[in-house]
């Protein structure tokens, strides 16, 4: 026995292995999970890469702005920082150090400084002697006059006195204004005799914060915020400051005794020692999930030659929102990609199924064509056989008809044979009469009694005529005829049949009750053959009544009310029923199954063909022959005869 797999491989089409539903569901679930992971990863990657790019762009932009801002600040300071160097060159200042106590000389020095300050736009320019006291000043005559004070505690003074250029931020002692101090030594030969100082106004820097477009600050070399776009940040320290440094700053009054608080935001800073660029971040709790995340990035750089650092706080929320959008777009793109892949896969599957269906259809077609070919060949063979059989059957039918004709004729001959004795008896009497009257005529001729001769010859003529009337119906009955259907008078056929048995009926003393006499009974059949049927039936009735005490033969015809209303037992329509009833011995007990069989007979000299021939003849008419035992003694045979066919209706014969 072959396994289904072996059968599959036999056709050359290996069917795909059947997947269990659980495995199929698991694979499907895994595929969906992979798709979800892919979408999620795409979203995350999109988010991260865009965030990084956005932050990089932001930082590049910030760097650019910081550069611009630094340049602006450097420009502001550098424009003025060489002023103290030029002060010592002026004649007024030279004279001042040669005659410091002369009022006129001091006056001229002050005016020179005023002019210079007015021209340069600083807060003040002043000159200190080697002890740190002001000897000349641009502000001496103004409202914010500098007090006669000792400035030797200021780092810029100490630097310049040491022969170097001093520069640092400090809050001015008068007016409490943030300022940038630049000092330069004034020499007399190799000896430093004084210090020239310019106090540069830093207020203009507060005007250009907008240039940075975000919160920003400027911190000095001590890590103290000296200027800021947010006033709350000013004078706070970005890193923890050691106490001794705080004391130094107090002594130098750098911040004019301002309390230095810690910078309010938890900012983490990293300074690159090579580029001096600053990077930092400001962490904050996430708005939705609460975890700590970078909320602002801090970028900064040093301002050339000043040890100042400018720092900018850039909010990354906008970049992050854009990154979320980019992540969503990436995830959507990935989902779309998956959909496209699914769509393509589905299309391929449909295409494959269609190709498979087409292949199967083609196979089915081929197999159908093959089967049709086989069937056609079988049918052609069967047809040829049928044609042969039909031809054989026609031949057989023709032979049968010929045989039937022979049989019918033989039947007639048999009837005539049976009648021979009666006919002989019938003919004997007139024949004897002919002989007697012929002898008489010869005698009368000898006697020349011509009148008597004529009388005898007339009698002979009548007798021969009578013999002719006996012989004529027999000849007509015995004639071999071909069946031909037409509308005939059934009454005539009955009369002819009865005539043939006239002598026999009379001899046996059978009372004949022919109720059809004088009636016109048309029916569709052959007159000679119907006569033969009636002869058979009457003959059988006579035989059956041979020993019967009562001998009565009745012939009754009954017309159907309308052509197609009367039907025989087989359901066919008849227009005339003819009953032949006798009072004989009745039909044998087994008649129902054997009566019309050929060679069935209960008679010693019977042939058993009479009823078979009669039934066939009536069926050839399109009629039927039935038999049954009567309620009283005897049997009854009914002949059902059809009507003439309607015009155009096909009929046999
Ligand atoms: P046969 O007359 O040579 O016997 P039939 O075919 O004419 O052949 O009749 C067959 C048989 O049917 C008869 O032998 C007889 O037994 C029975 N039979 C026919 N007609 C009658 C009848 N009127 N009464 C009783 N029996 C009949």
């Amino acid at each position: 026995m072959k396994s289904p797999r072996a059968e599959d491989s036999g056709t050359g089409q290996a069917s795909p292995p059947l997947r269990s539903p659980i495995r199929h569901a698991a694979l499907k679930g895994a595929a969906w999970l992979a798709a979800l992971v892919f979408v999620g990863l795409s979203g995350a990657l999109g988010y991260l890469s865009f965030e990084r790019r956005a932050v990089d762009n932001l930082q590049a932009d910030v760097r650019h702005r910081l550069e611009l801002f630094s340049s602006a600040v450097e420009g502001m300071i550098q424009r003025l920082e060489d002023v103290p160097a030029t002060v010592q060159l002026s004649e007024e200042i030279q004279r001042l150090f040669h005659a410091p106590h002369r009022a006129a000389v001091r006056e001229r020095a002050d005016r020179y400084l005023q002019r210079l300050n007015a021209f340069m736009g600083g807060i003040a320019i002043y000159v200190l002697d080697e002890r740190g006291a002001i000897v000349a000043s641009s502000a001496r005559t103004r409202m914010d006059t500098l007090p006669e004070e000792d400035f030797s505690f200021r780092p810029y003074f100490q630097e310049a006195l040491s022969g170097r250029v001093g520069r640092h931020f400090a809050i001015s002692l008068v007016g409490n204004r943030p300022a940038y101090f630049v000092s330069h030594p004034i020499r007399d030969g190799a000896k430093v005799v004084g210090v020239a100082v310019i106090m540069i106004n830093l207020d203009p820097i507060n005007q250009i914060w907008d240039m940075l477009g975000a919160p920003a600050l400027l911190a000095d070399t001590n890590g103290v915020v000296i200027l800021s776009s947010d006033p709350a940040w000013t004078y706070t320290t970005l890193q923890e400051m050691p106490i001794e440094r705080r004391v130094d700053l107090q002594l130098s009054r750098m911040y004019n005794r301002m309390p230095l608080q810690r910078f309010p935001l938890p900012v983490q800073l990293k300074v690159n020692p090579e580029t001096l660029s600053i990077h930092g971040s400001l962490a904050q709790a996430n708005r939705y999930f609460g975890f700590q995340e970078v909320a602002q990035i801090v970028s900064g750089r040093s301002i050339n030659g000043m040890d100042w650092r400018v720092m900018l706080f850039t909010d990354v929320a906008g970049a992050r929102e854009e990154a979320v959008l980019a992540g969503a777009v990436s995830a959507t793109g990935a989902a779309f990609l998956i959909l496209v892949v699914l769509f393509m896969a589905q299309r391929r599957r449909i295409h494959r199924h269609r190709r498979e269906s087409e292949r199967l259809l083609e196979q089915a077609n081929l197999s159908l064509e093959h089967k049709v070919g086989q069937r056609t060949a079988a049918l052609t063979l069967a047809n040829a056989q049928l044609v042969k059989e039909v031809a054989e059957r026609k031949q057989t039918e023709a032979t049968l008809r010929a045989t039937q004709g022979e049989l019918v004729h033989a039947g007639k001959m048999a009837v005539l044979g049976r009648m021979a004795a009666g006919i002989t008896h019938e003919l004997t009497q007139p024949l004897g009469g002919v002989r007697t009257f012929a002898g008489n005529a010869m005698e009368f001729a000898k006697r020349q009694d011509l009148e008597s001769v004529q009388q005898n010859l007339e009698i002979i003529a009548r007798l021969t005529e009578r013999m002719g009337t006996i012989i004529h119906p027999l000849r007509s009955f015995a004639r071999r005829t071909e069946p031909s259907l037409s509308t005939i008078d059934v009454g005539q056929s009955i009369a002819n049949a009865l005539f043939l048995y006239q002598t026999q009926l009379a001899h046996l003393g059978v009372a004949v009750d022919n109720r059809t006499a004088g009636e016109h009974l048309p029916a569709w059949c052959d007159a000679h053959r119907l006569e033969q049927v009636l002869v058979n039936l009457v003959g059988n009735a006579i035989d059956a009544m041979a020993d019967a005490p009562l001998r009565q033969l009745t012939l009754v015809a009954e017309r159907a009310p309308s052509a197609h209303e009367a039907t025989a037992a087989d359901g066919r329509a008849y227009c005339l029923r003819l009953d032949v009833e006798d009072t004989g011995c009745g039909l044998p007990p087994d008649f129902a199954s054997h009566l019309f069989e050929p060679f069935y007979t209960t008679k010693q000299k019977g042939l058993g063909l009479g009823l078979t021939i009669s039934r066939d003849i009536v069926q050839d008419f399109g009629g039927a022959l039935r038999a049954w035992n009567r309620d009283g003694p005897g049997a009854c045979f009914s002949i059902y005869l059809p009507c003439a066919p309607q015009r155009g209706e096909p009929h046999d014969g």
Side-chain angles (χ1 to χ4, degrees), residues 548-565:
L550 178 67
R551 293 168 188 166
Q552 167 97 37
L553 178 68
T554 311
L555 290 118
V556 189
E558 192 181 328
R559 286 196 188 91
S562 74
H564 295 283
E565 273 179 28

Side-chain angles (χ1 to χ4, degrees), residues 151 172 191 213 264 311 378 452 455 469 474 499 556 595 637 641:
F151 288 101
S172 65
K191 189 183 167 211
M311 277 184 243
S452 297
Q455 281 174 354
T469 53
L474 286 172
F499 179 80
V556 189
L595 194 65
F637 283 80
L641 291 173

Side-chain angles (χ1 to χ4, degrees), residues 203-252:
D203 280 343
I205 295 177
N206 282 326
Q207 315 296 315
I208 60 169
W209 289 122
D210 289 347
M211 192 185 228
L212 293 170
L217 60 85
L218 206 57
D220 67 2
T221 185
N222 299 313
V224 176
V225 178
I226 51 173
L227 288 169
S228 168
S229 62
D230 184 348
W233 294 351
T234 322
Y235 307 124
T236 58
T237 58
L238 290 175
Q239 66 248 8
E240 205 55 59
M241 195 177 280
I243 189 71
E244 54 275 20
R245 185 77 189 125
R246 279 182 184 271
V247 173
D248 281 353
L249 292 177
Q250 282 291 324
L251 290 174
S252 64

Side-chain angles (χ1 to χ4, degrees), residues 540-541 544 582 585-587 595 600-603 606-611 637:
N540 280 343
D582 64 58
C585 58
L587 297 167
L595 194 65
Y600 172 77
T601 180
T602 55
K603 299 172 194 169
L607 281 173
L609 288 172
L611 287 181
F637 283 80

Side-chain angles (χ1 to χ4, degrees), residues 340-353:
V340 167
V341 168
L342 281 178
F343 175 72
M344 296 301 287
Q346 182 73 4
R347 260 186 62 161
R348 270 184 54 195
R349 200 158 45 235
I350 289 170
H351 193 62
R352 202 169 56 234
H353 281 175

